[in-house]
Each structure stands twice: as structure tokens, then as C-alpha cells.
Amino acid sequence: VQLQASGGGLVQAGASLRLSCAASGHIFRWGSMGWFRQAQGKEREFTAGINLDSGRTAYEDSVRGRLSISIDRGKKTVYLQMSSLRPEDTAVYYCAFDRSATGVVSSTPVDYDLWGQGTQVTVSS
């Protein structure tokens, strides 16, 4: 099972991007998918997540209303639609899978078992 993140890039403040996380193998039946980000010199932090069973979503406070997570089960892909981007959103974005989640979304990185390789998002002012 692998996760492949893509869609990052260099954009100006206020622009939009859509990140994709494509999964291979037998997942997307239960558990949670999350997006985390890590800015240079900072710890990895939770950004958004969605539970595959309940559909419940969760967002970090600073991105709520600007970022939206969604699933295409047929394509086994999770998307992170990012709008009104700010320079402080600059980071490497990682998707991750928590196979043990039951109806809820964890914001703790150690709860996630599988990680994608990351995609760089750079927002210029």
C-alpha cells in the first residue's frame, strides 16, 4: 500500500491549489486520511482530515474555511482544495492514513501508519 501526493507548486498569496493523494492497495474502506504540513524549522502539524467510514472532517483552526478535504472513492484519491492561500501556508504537505480510526479523525501524527512522500507548497506575498 502506498500514498502518492501531488499538486504542490509556487503561487501568489490569494491563489488556489488542489493537492491530491492517490492510494494504491486495499484501503479506503475504513480509517481516516489526513493532510499534515511541515514548514521549514517547525514540527509537522495537522491540517485537515476525513474519516472514510463516517465522512466526518476536521480542520486546523487557521485553515478552516479556506481548505476543504474530500474523497473520490472510485479513484482512491483524497483531495485538499486550498484557497485564499497565505505565505504562512508555505510548507511541505503530506498525506497520511490512520487504519485504526473508528468514526473520528485524529490530529496526532503518531496515530497515522502510512505516509506519502510530501509535496511542496510555496506561497509568495
Side-chain angles (χ1 to χ4, degrees), residues 81-103:
Q81 180 66 47
M82 311 168 71
S83 60
S84 302
L85 284 165
R86 305 168 180 170
E88 53 264 39
D89 294 319
T90 295
V92 178
Y93 285 72
Y94 299 89
C95 58
F97 176 55
D98 174 4
R99 69 181 75 241
S100 300
T102 53

Side-chain angles (χ1 to χ4, degrees), residues 17 29 32 38 40-41 44 48 50 54 62-63 70 76-77 79 84 90-91 94-95 99 106 110 113 118 125:
L17 277 177
R29 296 182 180 181
S32 290
Q38 188 166 16
Q40 192 170 7
R44 192 169 298 188
I50 185 166
S54 68
S62 70
V63 307
S70 61
K76 292 186 178 180
T77 300
Y79 300 101
S84 302
T90 295
Y94 299 89
C95 58
R99 69 181 75 241
S106 172
V110 296
D113 314 279
S125 58

Side-chain angles (χ1 to χ4, degrees), residues 62-79:
S62 70
V63 307
R64 194 183 310 275
R66 300 188 298 117
L67 273 59
S68 178
I69 189 169
S70 61
I71 302 175
D72 184 329
R73 294 182 185 274
K75 295 182 179 179
K76 292 186 178 180
T77 300
V78 175
Y79 300 101

